[in-house]
Amino acid sequence: MRPFSRLAVSLLVLSFASSALAVSPDVGAISPAGFQLGTEVEARFSGARLADAQELLFYSPGIEVVELKAENDSTVKAKLKFGPQCRLGIHAVRLRSATGISNLRTFTVGPLPEVPEQEPNNEFAAPQAVPFGCTVSGVVQNEDVDHFVIEAKK
């Protein structure tokens, strides 16, 4: 094959690869980032090209999709059920749409109730109160400092 032909073929392959990425769904975040075992919870998947969402693909058993609804091109809501056979820890998920499969995102499943972090809790003098026996679910931003307070008895 001549050098010019190889270059033409390479450019053709690259153009198809980049156009394939342009239609695949892209999941940027899952909210909340953590779920309690044995519960049924509404989760929000945000990103791009999500309007034709059809399925969530999990890599471990015990997670059931009760309902999946695309709200618009950037948001999908899903009602998820975490059964007793779901293991505790970090799980992976991808979103399948009519045009492709998304990037991989992770979330956690734990034994305790999830409490979302609430801003503002940046100041030591104004911490977020958290009930004892809960998991705080939030996102750490660049140089973010958060303060929490619990009630404890001797």
Side-chain angles (χ1 to χ4, degrees):
M1 190 179 238
R2 297 183 307 201
F4 179 73
S5 298
R6 283 188 212 157
L7 178 63
V9 169
S10 297
L11 289 173
L12 185 63
V13 168
L14 286 175
S15 70
F16 283 123
S18 65
S19 65
L21 288 175
V23 296
S24 293
D26 178 35
V27 176
I30 302 171
S31 179
F35 305 94
Q36 182 183 6
L37 184 68
T39 62
E40 193 172 295
V41 181
E42 185 174 280
R44 180 184 182 106
F45 293 76
S46 58
R49 299 175 296 280
L50 305 178
D52 57 350
Q54 296 181 342
E55 180 182 18
L56 293 174
L57 305 171
F58 298 100
Y59 290 80
S60 51
I63 305 167
E64 178 186 345
V65 179
V66 177
E67 185 179 344
L68 183 71
K69 181 183 177 192
E71 290 198 324
N72 52 49
D73 197 45
S74 61
T75 305
V76 170
K77 285 191 177 177
K79 190 175 283 188
L80 305 176
K81 185 175 182 178
F82 299 92
Q85 69 276 27
C86 179
R87 67 173 171 73
L88 300 178
I90 299 172
H91 291 265
V93 63
R94 292 180 191 265
L95 184 142
R96 185 181 67 80
S97 71
T99 54
I101 297 176
S102 76
N103 52 315
L104 184 132
R105 283 290 170 194
T106 59
F107 60 92
T108 60
V109 174
L112 302 173
E114 296 278 332
V115 174
E117 177 205 0
Q118 295 177 348
E119 296 288 351
N121 63 345
N122 306 20
E123 300 297 323
F124 183 78
Q128 176 184 345
V130 177
F132 189 74
C134 291
T135 300
V136 177
S137 181
V139 177
V140 177
Q141 300 294 341
N142 193 17
E143 298 184 23
D144 188 21
V145 176
D146 296 319
H147 298 278
F148 304 93
V149 65
I150 63 165
E151 183 178 323
K153 295 179 182 178
K154 184 174 178 179

